Amino acid sequence: MRRRGVVVAAALVVAASMAVPAARAGVYAAEHTRAVAYWYLPTADDDVYRLYRAEVVSVRNLLTGAVSSQASIITDRCTEKPIAPNQTLFACGDGRRERTTRDAELEIAADMSSGTARIRLRGKTHVVYFEGPAEGGAYEMYDSCSETDHRVVAGTFTNMDRAHGRVLGKRLDRPVGSDLDHAWLMRGFGTWCDEDG
């Protein structure tokens, strides 16, 4: 199964590189990796949670080997509100703060069983470790950068059993996948276009 996935990914890369004219410098064959983790931490107030969300996206140009990364750390205040019997809704946005940077690194194991995201903001490094695959599947991503340039990526994602680390001075070490916390890794291959190019 793993060998077949590699063959499919390699075929996508070859097809993507053949389909993209060299004259369009903003479009290139790429490996796309992404890591996302978020935690809802309870507060002193009933039904009120503090959200911590960390994300790193890394794109490697398969022709030049150049890697570009973008990361964000989001904090927010979320309130759990009942909407029906045995159903609740999380309302966030009351205190949202997003910090972004291009100074980040993402390492994902070849079998996607683990990963490490490092995000540097204002001289401090925030690290999140991803461990233990739970379940996963395939994904496709399509996005238009312009009328002629498009991002088309296909790959696999893996939900993780645990994501832990230190973000904004807060130690986050709860397991994910149960109740509210979630984390996943993604890896795909295809065509990519720079937003500014």
Side-chain angles (χ1 to χ4, degrees):
M1 175 90 82
R2 187 180 305 161
R3 182 182 298 272
R4 181 178 173 203
V6 171
V7 171
V8 171
L12 280 168
V13 170
V14 171
S17 61
M18 292 173 59
V20 178
R24 287 197 281 170
V27 180
Y28 53 90
E31 176 189 24
H32 169 269
T33 53
R34 182 180 181 208
V36 180
Y38 55 91
W39 304 262
Y40 290 93
L41 305 182
T43 66
D45 298 324
D46 289 343
D47 302 326
V48 177
Y49 296 81
R50 185 72 178 161
L51 167 67
Y52 284 81
R53 182 183 190 277
E55 176 177 9
V56 177
V57 176
S58 183
V59 178
R60 181 169 62 94
N61 186 315
L62 294 175
L63 181 62
T64 66
V67 177
S68 63
S69 299
Q70 184 163 342
S72 65
I73 296 176
I74 296 173
T75 54
D76 205 346
R77 182 178 183 272
C78 301
T79 305
E80 187 177 18
K81 299 181 178 181
I83 56 173
N86 299 322
Q87 291 185 345
T88 59
L89 174 70
F90 263 69
C92 301
D94 180 17
R96 177 184 169 92
R97 183 171 179 199
E98 181 173 2
R99 303 152 183 90
T100 61
T101 180
R102 291 192 176 274
D103 191 1
E105 297 172 5
L106 177 58
E107 300 171 10
I108 296 178
D111 62 359
M112 296 181 67
S113 63
S114 63
T116 304
R118 291 180 178 84
I119 303 170
R120 285 175 284 280
L121 287 168
R122 299 181 181 177
K124 294 185 178 180
T125 301
H126 312 273
V127 182
V128 178
Y129 301 97
F130 297 80
E131 296 178 356
E135 60 182 30
Y139 76 94
E140 294 181 356
M141 182 177 64
Y142 179 91
D143 188 23
S144 296
C145 298
S146 70
E147 291 183 2
T148 57
D149 297 341
H150 309 287
R151 298 174 180 172
V152 183
V153 176
T156 58
F157 71 90
T158 303
N159 294 318
M160 307 306 289
D161 284 329
R162 184 173 185 234
H164 61 99
R166 185 170 292 277
V167 176
L168 300 177
K170 184 75 172 178
R171 181 161 182 76
L172 303 166
D173 58 3
R174 302 191 319 177
V176 300
S178 60
D179 295 327
L180 304 173
D181 303 340
H182 293 279
W184 65 91
L185 300 176
M186 300 171 71
R187 173 181 280 124
F189 297 87
T191 59
W192 197 262
C193 48
D194 296 318
E195 292 181 356
D196 54 359

